[in-house]
């Protein structure tokens, strides 16, 4: 018997649609997953939705189960949580996370899913991909006990980093954002909040995630001598100008990139993608991270919701998509 599903596709830049999909029978070593929730990563996914992925990055930006090609038509996404309906006995009935686009059912290899710990609600587990990015960033950044740290940019990635840093003992931590409403999110995560002009300087480490030229410039300004900016922003096809004259060299500042596509070389030897994802899901046991989910819509509404997210009409960190009768 053929199984059917529905999937969200970017038909053309700025326009999305739901398409019917026929699923193959799961073979040995594969699972059939029924989606419960997926998450829209407002930064990367809205960039893809607008057609803003530069041609030079088409290969780098491919999602694990992407179909189609940039700019469109393309099926894109990577924050899906569902329940295994068919597969190995030990997985059937278990909630799993998968780096899969927005689709109601899908068949993937067993190796592509990570079991969601029982203490983590499925609705929160859609954050796993972003928390995984934060884990990798902190492996790259290597914060120390007592560091003075700022996170510039209170979007989904920046808030995830701040949430993890808030657990570090002895650090001075500020979440810095131009939107004063982000102060509520910072409080929920256990971090102090500051507007860019009020942020404390003399930082040993600044994690930048605002995806703006102004934010990266401010991140450099907040550093102490010998300080480091870890750059997490993805600018797509935009060029960024930085003040690398002035005191940049005399203060011996560092700008370092971090990207989740590669496991940080600073991680302990032997840690790979599976271990990193399992750690991210384990960290999601903290209910404070619910503050990162700022909206929810039904899957059927996604073609109308995505343009509004891309235009900023719906203010969002992670916008959650609900499938069928998910709790």
């Amino acid at each position: 018997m053929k199984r059917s599903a529905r999937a969200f596709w970017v038909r053309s830049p700025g326009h999305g649609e739901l398409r019917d999909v026929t699923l193959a029978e799961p073979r040995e070593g594969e699972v059939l997953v029924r989606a419960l929730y997926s998450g829209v990563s407002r930064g990367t996914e809205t960039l893809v939705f607008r057609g803003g992925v530069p041609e030079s990055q088409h290969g780098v930006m491919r999602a694990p189960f992407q179909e189609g090609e940039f700019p469109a038509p393309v099926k894109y996404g990577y924050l899906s949580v569902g329940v295994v309906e068919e597969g190995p006995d030990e997985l059937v009935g278990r909630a799993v996370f998968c780096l899969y686009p927005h689709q109601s059912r899908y068949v993937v290899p067993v190796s592509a899913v990570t079991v969601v710990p029982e203490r983590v609600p499925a609705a929160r587990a859609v954050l796993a991909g972003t928390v995984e990015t934060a884990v990798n960033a902190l492996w790259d950044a290597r914060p120390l006990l007592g560091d003075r740290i700022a996170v510039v940019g209170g979007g989904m990635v920046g808030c995830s980093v701040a949430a993890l840093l808030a657990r570090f003992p002895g650090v001075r931590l500020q979440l810095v954002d131009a939107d004063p409403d982000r102060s509520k999110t910072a409080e929920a995560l256990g971090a102090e909040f500051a507007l860019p002009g009020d942020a404390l300087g003399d930082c040993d480490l600044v994690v930048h995630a605002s995806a703006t030229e102004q934010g990266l410039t401010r991140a450099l300004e907040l550093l102490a001598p010998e300080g480091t900016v870890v750059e997490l922003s993805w600018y797509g096809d935009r060029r960024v100008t930085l003040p690398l004259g002035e005191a940049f060299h005399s203060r011996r500042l560092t700008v370092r990139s971090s990207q989740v596509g590669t496991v940080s070389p600073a991680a302990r030897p032997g840690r790979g993608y599976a271990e990193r994802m399992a750690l991210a899901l384990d960290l999601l046991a903290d209910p404070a991270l619910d503050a990162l989910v700022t909206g929810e819509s039904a899957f059927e509404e996604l073609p109308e919701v995505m343009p509004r997210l891309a235009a900023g009409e719906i203010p969002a960190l992670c916008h959650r998509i609900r499938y069928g009768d998910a709790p």
Side-chain angles (χ1 to χ4, degrees), residues 10-34:
V10 179
R11 183 180 71 245
S12 61
H15 303 278
E17 64 184 8
L18 297 182
R19 295 185 180 182
D20 292 329
V21 177
T22 299
L23 302 180
E25 287 287 327
R27 297 173 297 183
E28 185 176 354
E30 294 183 327
V31 289
L32 171 66
V33 179
R34 173 173 55 86

Side-chain angles (χ1 to χ4, degrees), residues 87-143:
D89 291 343
E90 65 271 19
L91 290 178
V92 172
R94 299 293 301 274
V96 294
F97 177 86
C98 185
L99 296 169
Y100 206 88
H102 308 282
Q103 186 166 310
S104 60
R105 275 185 172 85
Y106 47 89
V107 175
V108 293
V110 169
S111 60
V113 300
T114 304
V115 173
V116 177
E118 292 185 1
R119 62 186 179 280
V120 177
R124 190 187 304 150
V126 296
L127 298 168
T130 308
V131 173
E132 183 190 21
T133 300
V135 167
N136 207 59
L138 295 185
W139 282 348
D140 280 331
R142 305 179 78 169

Side-chain angles (χ1 to χ4, degrees), residues 154-165:
M156 192 174 170
V157 171
C159 284
S160 296
V161 172
L164 300 189
L165 283 170

